[in-house]
Amino acid sequence: MPRPILATIHLDALRHNLARVRTAAPDAKVWAVVKANAYGHGIERVYEALRAADGFALLDLDEAERVRALGWRGPILLLEGVFEARDLELCSRLGLWHTIHCDEQIDMLAAHKTQQPHRVFLKMNSGMNRLGYSPERYRAAWARLNALPQVEEISLMTHFSDADGPRGIAHQVAAFREATRDLPGERSLSNSAAALRHSADPDVRGDWVRPGIAVYGSAPDYPENDIAHWDLRPTMTLATRILGVQDLKPGDTVGYGSSFTAEAPVRIGVVACGYADGYPRHCSTGTPVLVNGVRSRLIGRVSMDMIAVDLTPVPSAGFGSEVTMWGRAGNGAVLPIDEVARAGGTLGYELMCALAQRVPVTVET
Ligand SMILES: *Cc1c(COP(=O)(O)O)cnc(C)c1O
């Protein structure tokens, strides 16, 4: 028997979350963002559930090829555009839409020989200061693209730095609106946080929204709001079993570094999950887990292959009992990945993307 750890991808939840984002941004078309191998879920695994989207957005050309290989004939957008001139050949061959964020990319396109006119998304740096043209340089870039025979259609795009937080997006929306005022073309501005929190404003919604994390059942603005608030469902469960049980006496310690000392007698279960499975090593005593679907907590340090959990709330648990590290338990109880991420000083994004290769994955249809 293999080690009893298993990740489950829930297609019903992916469908539900995608529909939720659609409701939040009515009339907008939806890019399902599937970069980073669908946020660690696996592009091939999520495809069936996400093909209800209007397009797929991603970064890696090999991921674009995989989406085409699955039979997708609709739009695919390269969110960072091409990295070298050769990449444009693949764009022509596979009909990929691509972001243009710098002059070097326009130079490459101008030199590209193709019969296949390209659809490009011209990116504005409206304040994030990652990729894109400043508002002052945006129109000149647009005009240059517009004059190229290789370009069929130009769409306008920007990305928010604070859609999930108190600073908000008004300053970026204003910069984008001002600099694009009389430019034709479809608009795309919103990630998950903007689509859920700010898309009552049609200028924010635009023509295309680009949700990633919300589709994967993590609240983009946790802990201000959780998935229950946004009516999102976990799309990935990481579950394992108890391998061993220890009865601690007062004064006994647990694990490396003895970071936990029992003050009273306590029964602990040792489970088959550790940081080599992608569980965050920085989670410490108190991090929530579900034992037989009942909420309990981690005890002591996370080691490479094992973690101890408190069995006090579940006296019936023992060897072989189910332990849910995040996601949905057998009894239907939910432990949002966001709670675990927060306890480990990180984000749901990182945990789902970091699910380790050695963890077997199954798909629940
Ligand atoms: C990753 C990404 C998104 C999706 O962001 P989420 O916060 O996961 O919704 C949208 N747009 C761009 C440009 C991205 O890189």
Side-chain angles (χ1 to χ4, degrees):
M1 179 184 170
R3 202 167 152 258
I5 188 167
L6 181 66
T8 304
I9 306 302
H10 306 288
L11 297 189
D12 59 342
L14 286 159
R15 284 190 197 95
H16 170 87
N17 296 342
L18 183 65
R20 253 306 279 134
V21 177
R22 267 201 199 285
T23 317
D27 308 330
K29 288 175 278 190
V30 177
W31 292 112
V33 179
V34 294
K35 63 188 179 190
N37 199 23
Y39 289 49
H41 289 61
I43 287 177
E44 287 75 13
R45 296 189 192 104
V46 301
Y47 176 70
E48 226 14 75
L50 298 188
R51 52 186 297 181
D54 300 289
F56 289 93
L58 39 71
L59 314 177
D60 281 305
L61 285 101
D62 77 300
E63 291 187 340
E65 288 191 279
R66 283 161 59 195
V67 174
R68 281 283 181 253
L70 287 162
W72 178 254
R73 303 172 71 93
I76 296 177
L77 175 62
L78 298 176
L79 287 167
E80 295 178 349
V82 298
F83 305 100
E84 59 174 338
R86 258 184 0 165
D87 297 343
L88 289 167
E89 293 163 21
L90 197 72
C91 292
S92 292
R93 184 151 56 80
L94 298 181
L96 308 180
W97 301 3
H98 52 104
T99 298
I100 297 276
H101 62 75
C102 64
D103 287 337
E104 289 79 359
Q105 290 177 324
I106 303 185
D107 295 341
M108 289 188 253
L109 191 52
H112 178 54
K113 294 190 175 37
T114 179
Q115 308 298 322
Q116 190 76 45
H118 286 211
R119 170 88 176 254
V120 296
F121 276 60
L122 181 59
K123 182 135 184 194
M124 183 187 298
N125 169 19
S126 58
M128 175 81 161
N129 286 309
R130 226 169 41 174
L131 298 179
Y133 288 92
S134 66
E136 300 73 45
R137 299 186 52 229
Y138 194 76
R139 306 179 70 84
W142 187 90
R144 206 183 147 206
L145 277 175
N146 193 44
L148 292 184
Q150 291 90 342
V151 173
E152 176 178 58
E153 190 172 340
I154 308 171
S155 301
L156 318 178
M157 174 160 80
T158 195
H159 191 60
F160 298 128
S161 61
D162 290 78
D164 56 336
R167 187 179 183 199
I169 61 173
H171 60 295
Q172 288 190 263
V173 174
F176 184 77
R177 189 193 292 127
E178 178 59 29
T180 59
R181 190 175 299 280
D182 51 2
L183 292 180
E186 293 192 324
R187 268 89 169 141
S188 180
L189 300 86
S190 296
N191 58 0
S192 296
L196 292 175
R197 290 166 66 97
H198 303 291
S199 66
D201 178 350
D203 277 354
V204 175
R205 204 154 67 226
D207 300 285
W208 290 87
V209 292
R210 307 187 304 269
I213 197 69
V215 172
Y216 302 103
S218 163
D221 54 358
Y222 187 83
E224 184 184 337
N225 293 302
D226 60 12
I227 54 170
H229 172 88
W230 292 121
D231 182 24
L232 299 169
R233 298 180 188 162
T235 60
M236 179 193 284
T237 291
L238 181 60
T240 183
R241 295 194 179 278
I242 295 179
L243 299 173
V245 173
Q246 303 291 343
D247 287 294
L248 307 186
K249 303 182 297 299
D252 285 350
T253 64
V254 176
Y256 288 118
S258 303
S259 73
F260 176 86
T261 305
E263 285 171 3
V266 58
R267 223 170 135 250
I268 63 168
V270 175
V271 307
C273 178
Y275 59 78
D277 298 300
Y279 194 87
R281 202 187 73 84
H282 291 291
C283 286
S284 54
T285 300
T287 302
V289 292
L290 303 176
V291 179
N292 285 342
V294 176
R295 219 176 149 91
S296 183
R297 58 173 185 151
L298 234 74
I299 283 191
R301 269 199 208 160
V302 173
S303 45
M304 183 185 283
D305 312 305
M306 283 178 271
I307 296 173
V309 300
D310 190 347
L311 299 184
T312 309
V314 211
S316 63
F319 181 88
S321 292
E322 171 205 66
V323 178
T324 308
M325 308 312 289
W326 60 68
R328 199 194 290 169
N331 70 352
V334 164
L335 175 57
I337 197 169
D338 298 323
E339 284 192 47
V340 180
R342 187 161 174 83
T346 182
L347 303 173
Y349 292 82
E350 190 180 8
L351 297 200
M352 50 182 83
C353 290
L355 182 74
Q357 277 292 336
R358 79 170 184 184
V359 178
V361 183
T362 179
V363 175
E364 187 183 85
T365 52

